[in-house]
Amino acid sequence: AQSVTQLGSHVSVSEGALVLLRCNYSSSVPPYLFWYVQYPNQGLQLLLKYTSAATLVKGINGFEAEFKKSETSFHLTKPSAHMSDAAEYFCAVSPFGNEKLTFGTGTRLTIIP
Amino acid sequence: EAQVTQNPRYLITVTGKKLTVTCSQNMNHEYMSWYRQDPGLGLRQIYYSMNVEVTDKGDVPEGYKVSRKEKRNFPLILESPSPNQTSLYFCASSDRVVSGANVLTFGAGSRLTVL
């Protein structure tokens, strides 16, 4: 069985500061990993995904995530926060060859002007 | 425009009154799924469908039913709603990629309140 742990249900950063959202996973087989973002009153949309091609994955809106097998982590970063980044972010894991996707509990990101 | 459409977007109902939340996608996706989102719990899968007439339970299927008679539609049925089913519901779909790295397209959500 797979699982995802997102550390910090709420994260606040100043505009222009580094964004770091943490995600640790557990999977008995090589995983696929995803970050989804949910803007207020909207559904989720994909930010980026890891499929074993490269450990550093670049996504939309300047976000990127690095897969670290030794740490079982897939943290999401952005060098400089923008007000429009305020949203809830979900990490998700899917085992290879299985469509079942397990989501973390989410991290709400607030940007301080 | 490629999209997943859910209806209704908002609904207030009473305990025991059967209701159906519809979900339709126009992308010819094989895989469809229902999630519920609750504060502090993230998204939990209710049911999913790999193709027409193929459905399976997710993590929290109790109190829900689904059907997949057509590829584009995947309705969620609450036969006898209870207050603990008050939640935000999302339908999602994707191509069935054999490797499993499916990217889900989500609907805008349906907020259900059961009194």
Side-chain angles (χ1 to χ4, degrees):
Chain A
Q2 69 271 17
S3 66
V4 169
T5 301
Q6 290 185 243
L7 295 175
S9 58
H10 291 86
V11 171
S12 295
V13 302
S14 298
E15 190 174 15
L18 171 72
V19 175
L20 171 60
L21 304 182
R22 299 178 187 274
C23 171
N24 287 89
Y25 70 91
S26 170
S27 178
S28 57
V29 296
Y32 291 112
L33 292 158
F34 306 79
W35 276 99
Y36 282 84
V37 59
Q38 183 182 29
Y39 297 106
N41 300 313
Q42 295 185 27
L44 282 73
Q45 57 184 275
L46 182 73
L47 263 183
L48 50 81
K49 70 176 183 180
Y50 166 75
T51 58
S52 79
T55 57
L56 183 62
V57 182
K58 294 189 184 299
I60 62 172
N61 301 336
F63 284 93
E64 62 182 36
E66 186 172 9
F67 173 71
K68 292 187 176 181
K69 185 178 179 180
S70 61
E71 299 177 7
T72 60
S73 69
F74 191 57
H75 301 331
L76 182 71
T77 60
K78 181 174 180 178
S80 178
H82 191 273
M83 295 300 294
S84 61
D85 295 327
E88 189 154 19
Y89 293 79
F90 292 91
C91 184
V93 62
S94 173
F96 176 82
N98 185 337
E99 284 82 356
K100 181 165 176 59
L101 193 62
T102 299
F103 285 87
T105 52
T107 297
R108 184 169 298 279
L109 177 65
T110 300
I111 310 299
I112 303 166
Chain B
E1 180 188 354
Q3 60 186 358
V4 176
T5 303
Q6 298 178 226
N7 281 295
R9 293 288 314 280
Y10 302 91
L11 179 63
I12 300 174
T13 190
V14 295
T15 299
K17 186 175 181 182
K18 180 180 178 180
L19 68 91
T20 299
V21 185
T22 63
C23 174
S24 181
Q25 51 92 4
N26 62 359
M27 296 164 283
N28 201 36
H29 283 168
E30 290 189 1
Y31 179 86
M32 297 186 75
S33 181
W34 276 102
Y35 294 87
R36 60 177 289 174
Q37 182 180 13
D38 301 290
L41 297 177
L43 276 81
R44 294 178 292 168
Q45 190 178 48
I46 303 171
Y47 270 95
Y48 64 97
S49 170
M50 305 285 268
N51 212 329
V52 176
E53 302 291 1
V54 180
T55 63
D56 208 347
K57 296 178 181 178
D59 298 317
V60 289
E62 295 78 19
Y64 305 95
K65 286 176 58 178
V66 293
S67 68
R68 187 92 182 272
K69 295 183 171 59
E70 306 165 281
K71 198 171 188 179
R72 63 182 292 123
N73 295 324
F74 190 45
L76 179 70
I77 303 157
L78 286 73
E79 293 272 2
S80 182
S82 63
N84 65 11
Q85 292 179 296
T86 292
S87 187
L88 179 58
Y89 292 86
F90 286 102
C91 181
S93 70
S94 73
D95 281 330
R96 183 161 184 251
V97 177
V98 175
S99 65
N102 298 345
V103 174
L104 291 171
T105 299
F106 282 82
S110 296
R111 185 168 293 281
L112 171 65
T113 301
V114 183
L115 302 175

